[in-house]
Amino acid sequence: MVYVRFGARLLAAVLMLAVSYLVLTACSQSEQTAEEYLMGTYVTLKVYSPQAAVIEKTVERLREIENLMSANLPESEVGLINGAAGKSAVKISSDTFNVIETALYYSQLTNGAFDPTIGPLVNLWGIGTDKARIPSNKEIERSLRLVDYRTVILDKEQQSVKLPYAGQALDLGGIAKGYAADEAKRILKANGITSAIVNIGGNIMTLGTRPDGNPWRIGVQDPLGPRNSYIGIIQLIDETAVTSGNYERYFEIGGKRYHHILNPFTGYPSRSGLLSATIITKRSIAADALSTAVYVLGLDRGMELVESLPGIEAIFVTDDFKIYLTKGIIQRFDLTNPEYKVENSGQNK
Ligand code: ADP
Ligand code: MG
């Protein structure tokens, strides 16, 4: 009896020591975290730094980007460009100009699978809003005629953008969060931070390694499971991982799912046989545009495109529960969900 009590006390003492050790290590690494609702999604920042102010600076910058680029704010720069469609060019900040220029670059690269002039279709479907509905074929045809990235007029000297036809509308929802993640990283780095992770609604950006020197371990969302359930884990150092999927925003009618990634050629939510597409690379703006684009392109064309781009890797999940990896990510992906099978396009791990 006495022995047991003594044992319990000893255990308690050891536990106390362990707890104080944990608290100490946590303090020396000064983990600062913040959670905000921004850009229509949840944003989390985890920064290893003694200064708390750097998080505020970063969040402020994200808010600024949202106010410039949200298509839902009529007074944002994108709102002003859309308001002047068919009428005049609008002078804008270098921020918005660069994002539009980059968006058009990825439109060209993907032959229009990514198209920031998708606005009229996005508004027509209203997916994710209380006005979501299935439009008529006539309505889709009418909106489709306005969707064409090649019509956007950029004037570099004036730093202005013009949409030549009335009714046209830019929507940077497929790329602005990537830019925001890049900007968050730039600010953290400029403030001397060497270890951080930023999550903008599932768009992950890592800075450096974890404080213990190991790679960040990032779960790839299970497209069919509840939020924060994973198909597998990837290891990242100083890279970004961005996923586009049919599970983010959607509505269902008659057992059919209508989701928010639209095919600019058909005007309907993309049905390419993919449940999700994840892009892993350095720049989140590239990852964001490309994840949306390859989701539309589907496995074969998406895989071909990504393998042709240096420094860019991808994870495709198909609707028959198979996972396809580009060559450069095979060694860094660990399957954790046995319902899925890694195919590796014929290569062996
Ligand atoms: P998420 O917003 O869930 O991270 P994406 O990055 O794939 O997902 O972006 C989807 C958003 O991009 C849509 O909500 C819409 O605003 C816009 N969008 C939809 N289809 C396209 C497309 N084919 N090209 C460019 N942008 C698109
Ligand atoms: Mg995207």
Side-chain angles (χ1 to χ4, degrees):
M1 200 58 196
V2 171
Y3 173 79
V4 170
R5 247 201 226 156
F6 177 72
R9 231 181 270 160
L10 186 66
L11 188 66
V14 170
L15 274 178
M16 283 277 287
L17 259 176
V19 167
S20 60
Y21 174 74
L22 272 178
V23 170
L24 267 180
T25 49
C27 283
S28 67
Q29 286 159 356
S30 302
E31 179 185 308
Q32 317 270 350
T33 58
E35 259 187 33
E36 300 274 333
Y37 190 80
L38 280 168
M39 319 188 89
T41 190
Y42 290 95
V43 176
T44 354
L45 294 106
K46 197 180 274 184
V47 175
Y48 295 86
S49 158
Q51 352 152 229
V54 67
I55 284 215
E56 280 164 41
K57 250 193 236 177
T58 311
V59 168
E60 193 42 50
R61 177 70 175 131
L62 299 184
R63 206 167 277 135
E64 192 175 31
I65 293 170
E66 178 178 24
N67 288 333
L68 289 173
M69 300 181 201
S70 168
N72 301 323
L73 304 172
E75 69 281 15
S76 76
E77 291 188 332
V78 168
L80 296 177
I81 293 168
N82 293 348
K87 289 183 270 189
S88 51
V90 179
K91 277 196 185 202
I92 50 174
S93 64
S94 57
D95 268 328
T96 311
F97 191 88
N98 291 339
V99 173
I100 294 172
E101 205 176 23
T102 307
L104 296 175
Y105 167 79
Y106 284 104
S107 302
Q108 266 167 16
L109 187 71
T110 62
N111 290 319
F114 183 83
D115 193 327
T117 66
I118 199 88
L121 276 173
V122 172
N123 297 334
L124 183 63
W125 282 91
I127 292 163
T129 74
D130 52 9
K131 295 188 182 65
R133 67 185 177 93
I134 304 175
S136 71
N137 286 341
K138 212 175 195 108
E139 286 174 302
I140 288 182
E141 264 168 42
R142 213 177 304 137
S143 295
L144 256 183
R145 263 183 260 140
L146 297 166
V147 175
D148 188 346
Y149 68 93
R150 291 164 299 190
T151 61
V152 180
I153 301 167
L154 293 189
D155 185 333
K156 236 183 158 120
E157 221 145 81
Q158 291 291 315
Q159 212 171 268
S160 71
V161 176
K162 184 179 176 185
L163 297 174
Y165 304 108
Q168 278 192 300
L170 289 178
D171 183 321
L172 301 179
I175 193 168
K177 281 185 286 197
Y179 179 66
D182 288 335
E183 280 297 286
K185 182 168 180 170
R186 185 182 62 75
I187 291 168
L188 294 172
K189 240 175 150 167
N191 283 274
I193 310 298
T194 54
S195 181
I197 183 160
V198 178
N199 181 347
I200 305 185
N203 292 24
I204 309 287
M205 175 56 104
T206 63
L207 170 50
T209 63
R210 283 186 345 198
D212 63 8
N214 285 313
W216 296 97
R217 292 168 56 80
I218 306 298
V220 179
Q221 174 68 38
D222 176 354
L224 297 176
R227 207 161 276 272
N228 298 325
S229 62
Y230 305 123
I231 54 167
I233 307 278
I234 43 173
Q235 297 185 26
L236 300 186
I237 298 177
D238 221 28
E239 280 176 308
T240 184
V242 177
T243 302
S244 286
N246 68 0
Y247 54 85
E248 272 300 334
R249 261 175 288 152
Y250 61 87
F251 67 91
E252 276 174 340
I253 291 180
K256 225 170 163 184
R257 181 177 290 195
Y258 298 88
H259 62 84
H260 74 311
I261 302 175
L262 303 172
N263 181 327
F265 305 103
T266 65
Y268 281 82
S270 166
R271 290 193 204 285
S272 61
L274 290 178
L275 295 177
S276 74
T278 300
I279 299 284
I280 300 110
T281 187
K282 283 274 180 198
R283 288 171 65 231
S284 208
I285 193 167
D288 200 357
L290 284 172
S291 71
T292 306
V294 298
Y295 185 83
V296 171
L297 289 172
L299 175 64
D300 294 341
R301 290 199 292 156
M303 181 63 91
E304 192 186 348
L305 173 68
V306 176
E307 288 291 26
S308 77
L309 302 171
I312 301 194
E313 306 301 335
I315 300 170
F316 298 90
V317 183
T318 56
D319 54 15
D320 54 358
F321 299 92
K322 289 181 178 154
I323 299 172
Y324 295 83
L325 307 163
T326 53
K327 292 193 192 80
I329 200 73
I330 293 174
Q331 298 302 330
R332 290 192 282 149
F333 177 83
D334 286 311
L335 182 73
T336 53
N337 187 334
E339 286 169 45
Y340 293 85
K341 190 166 172 278
V342 177
E343 288 290 312
N344 282 357
S345 337
Q347 307 143 40
N348 289 316
K349 196 167 176 174

